[in-house]
Amino acid sequence: MKISVPRGTCDVLPANSYKRAYIENAAREISSLFGYKEIRTPVFEHTELFCRGIGSGSDIVRKEMYTFEDKKGRSLTLRPEGTATVMRAIVENNLCQTGYAKLFYIGPFFRYERPQEGRYRQFHQFGLEAAGVDSPLLDAEIIHAACSFFGKLGLENLTVQLNSLGCPECRPAYREALVSFFESKKDDLCGDCKERLAINPLRVLDCKNAACRAIAADAPVMLDYLCPECSNHFDIVKKALEVYGINYAVNRKIVRGLDYYTRTVFEVVSDQLGAQDAICGGGRYNNLAEEIGGKSIPAVGFAAGIERTAALMEKRGCSFGKEPAPEVFVVPFEESCVMKAAEVLGRLRNSGISSDLTYSKKNIKKIFRDIAEAGADYAYIIGPDEMAAGKISVKSMKDKAQAEINDSEAVEFILKGRC
Ligand code: ATP
Ligand code: MG
């Protein structure tokens, strides 16, 4: 039986992997521009971290986790998101002991979801987390960084949707109002939402079902219930976004799929992505550190989906930079020239010139076609005549011009051509 890739996962082949690297490089540059340093955490954690951190009422914990027992019977889970993991590391390593920590991560995440366009079981995220400060300026900084990341990739004019979910002071009254609103319409909600209503009524606002959306359109909104502190925080976030020149729209219906958010929540969306329109989501989570057993540490962050970012770049025809290609292909004309070709190849590589050798024994026409396809600038052809004369025949793959150089000039020729 042929073994294939697991459902909801894919191989990123060379024709696409350089595009991913391009996006990751942009992520690193933006992180450094905004003062965020990299953190790398394990891809699996104790299951309890996510149950307590993300919340046992969330869809992720209820339905989407890859959970397994190890040989000692410990329950472990492949990380479904980065925030709880990063906060665990911040608490465990006391990273906020003397102030605050600004961290970024890039890596794979795992959710047992129904695979479809833009939704996979292994996907990748780039995320930022700023922990240790409750300043609304940091909420705006996080949103600014997300927009700068997309801008750097050529993705302009995305919509930032902003909302506030209040805090443990003001949310209970809102929750009550929401439950009584939905109770009267319970029969028309989808099966999931009937459950959500009991476990986590805010999640009903996040349902993708059309009937639930229609009902939710008239539901009470958190912004009408904010306490003065939350209201003030929200106002400053909006002002700072204006200072940074970021276009945003208040969307009173955004609640986000995770339980840990307090105050600011936001999503960056595109109408070119079909049903999976969110490319990035984030917000403030002031109570997460305590939920997972640490002291109180206010924090704010975002996570951007790399697959959806790449898909949108493809749709908009954005540049992914140049596909890596060798500058030179060395072509031994026949068997007796292979060692000489290897010697030239070694010299080129030792001088930092990306180069390769034609290992296959195809006819010369096919070899040149392969070299052109690989995107090389030059072919260095070494035959018995060239060897005897201490020469190399050079073929420019761009204009097909042929020339002869001295064997000793193999490196110099390329370096000169670069300037
Ligand atoms: P959605 O509403 O699409 O399910 P989400 O709210 O579950 O998204 P987050 O947990 O906020 O997503 O993750 C941040 C980003 O990661 C999303 O905006 C999206 O771009 C990406 N993402 C989330 N789940 C998946 C997935 N299963 N496959 C691919 N990308 C994903
Ligand atoms: Mg989801």
Side-chain angles (χ1 to χ4, degrees):
M1 193 188 74
K2 213 168 83 189
I3 299 174
S4 57
V5 76
R7 189 164 141 76
T9 71
C10 68
D11 301 310
V12 183
L13 302 175
N16 281 316
S17 58
Y18 80 96
K19 300 181 180 178
R20 294 292 185 85
Y22 182 79
I23 295 173
E24 288 167 13
N25 283 341
R28 288 176 187 285
E29 280 174 33
I30 290 298
S31 299
S32 140
L33 186 70
F34 282 76
Y36 290 73
K37 294 192 174 153
E38 186 174 17
I39 182 162
R40 298 185 186 209
T41 60
V43 293
F44 59 84
E45 295 272 357
H46 293 293
T47 302
E48 206 190 340
L49 172 69
F50 302 117
C51 294
R52 298 223 311 243
I54 303 174
S56 49
S58 65
D59 282 2
I60 292 183
V61 172
R62 287 171 58 232
K63 296 188 288 201
E64 298 174 2
M65 296 210 301
Y66 278 93
T67 297
F68 58 97
E69 271 190 8
D70 73 1
K71 291 188 196 304
K72 283 265 170 68
R74 288 174 283 240
S75 180
L76 299 170
T77 293
L78 297 184
R79 57 183 191 184
E81 56 95 57
T83 303
T85 308
V86 170
M87 190 46 96
R88 196 255 322 125
I90 290 174
V91 170
E92 194 166 344
N93 298 287
N94 282 322
L95 296 186
C96 289
Q97 205 170 23
T98 54
Y100 58 95
K102 302 213 306 185
L103 305 168
F104 81 89
Y105 60 85
I106 300 170
F109 293 88
F110 309 87
R111 294 184 194 174
Y112 193 82
E113 300 202 72
R114 192 170 68 78
Q116 53 199 289
E117 199 189 342
R119 198 174 288 292
Y120 312 101
R121 291 185 171 168
Q122 173 171 332
F123 58 99
H124 297 76
Q125 288 184 337
F126 157 50
L128 296 188
E129 314 286 359
V133 188
D134 197 15
S135 167
L137 284 181
L138 265 182
D139 305 35
E141 170 176 306
I142 284 284
I143 297 172
H144 185 195
C147 293
S148 302
F149 168 61
F150 294 122
K152 192 168 182 65
L153 295 172
L155 296 173
E156 311 285 351
N157 304 323
L158 296 172
T159 314
V160 176
Q161 301 199 327
L162 187 69
N163 196 15
S164 173
L165 292 185
C167 67
E169 295 294 312
C170 51
R171 206 183 302 167
Y174 171 64
R175 191 189 149 108
E176 242 173 64
L178 201 60
V179 171
S180 65
F181 172 84
F182 282 127
E183 277 298 340
S184 59
K185 299 166 174 65
K186 198 172 170 182
D187 292 346
D188 300 325
L189 294 174
C190 72
D192 272 351
C193 279
K194 285 193 182 95
E195 279 180 41
R196 287 181 186 128
L197 195 54
I199 311 167
N200 195 339
L202 263 76
R203 281 297 84 74
V204 178
L205 299 175
D206 209 18
C207 184
K208 304 211 160 56
N209 180 299
C212 298
R213 280 189 174 220
I215 296 172
D218 300 322
V221 292
M222 184 67 226
L223 288 189
D224 293 336
Y225 289 77
L226 293 184
C227 62
E229 288 77 16
C230 286
S231 189
N232 185 44
H233 188 99
F234 195 50
D235 285 343
I236 301 177
V237 173
K238 288 189 288 187
K239 272 200 198 105
L241 288 178
E242 277 150 31
V243 165
Y244 292 138
I246 292 162
N247 281 324
Y248 67 87
V250 172
N251 178 343
R252 298 147 72 93
K253 291 282 149 47
I254 289 191
V255 291
R256 313 276 309 118
L258 317 161
D259 283 358
Y260 48 59
Y261 287 107
T262 48
R263 294 188 169 164
T264 312
V265 285
F266 72 96
E267 280 183 0
V268 182
V269 298
S270 162
D271 54 12
Q272 288 173 291
L273 281 173
Q276 273 54 256
D277 63 350
I279 188 168
C280 170
R284 181 162 278 286
Y285 45 96
N286 286 353
N287 302 321
L288 176 59
E290 271 175 303
E291 289 293 334
I292 61 171
K295 284 190 302 196
S296 167
I297 302 176
V300 57
F302 78 70
I306 291 184
E307 284 78 1
R308 288 187 202 172
T309 302
L312 190 59
M313 289 173 70
E314 296 279 7
K315 270 195 189 134
R316 290 197 180 177
C318 299
S319 163
F320 288 96
K322 195 173 171 285
E323 189 171 354
E327 285 183 87
V328 186
F329 251 97
V330 184
V331 186
F333 196 71
E334 56 176 53
E335 201 56 36
S336 66
C337 313
V338 164
M339 274 308 149
K340 180 68 203 168
E343 185 257 317
V344 173
L345 178 72
R347 255 192 286 146
L348 289 167
R349 287 177 169 167
N350 290 341
S351 309
I353 295 166
S354 119
S355 40
D356 213 335
L357 190 107
T358 50
Y359 292 98
S360 67
K361 294 204 168 59
K362 294 180 185 170
N363 72 40
I364 197 79
K365 239 179 144 176
K366 282 197 182 129
I367 283 176
F368 282 130
R369 210 175 49 211
D370 289 352
I371 295 175
E373 227 161 74
D377 298 329
Y378 296 101
Y380 275 10
I381 304 130
I382 299 175
D385 293 348
E386 282 88 352
M387 269 172 68
K391 302 273 184 190
I392 297 172
S393 287
V394 179
K395 178 170 171 143
S396 160
M397 300 311 294
K398 280 196 196 108
D399 55 16
K400 310 289 173 225
Q402 291 245 20
E404 228 179 32
I405 59 171
N406 288 326
D407 172 290
S408 58
E409 292 163 351
V411 168
E412 220 183 318
F413 176 79
I414 300 296
L415 296 182
K416 265 194 197 149
R418 277 185 189 168
C419 24

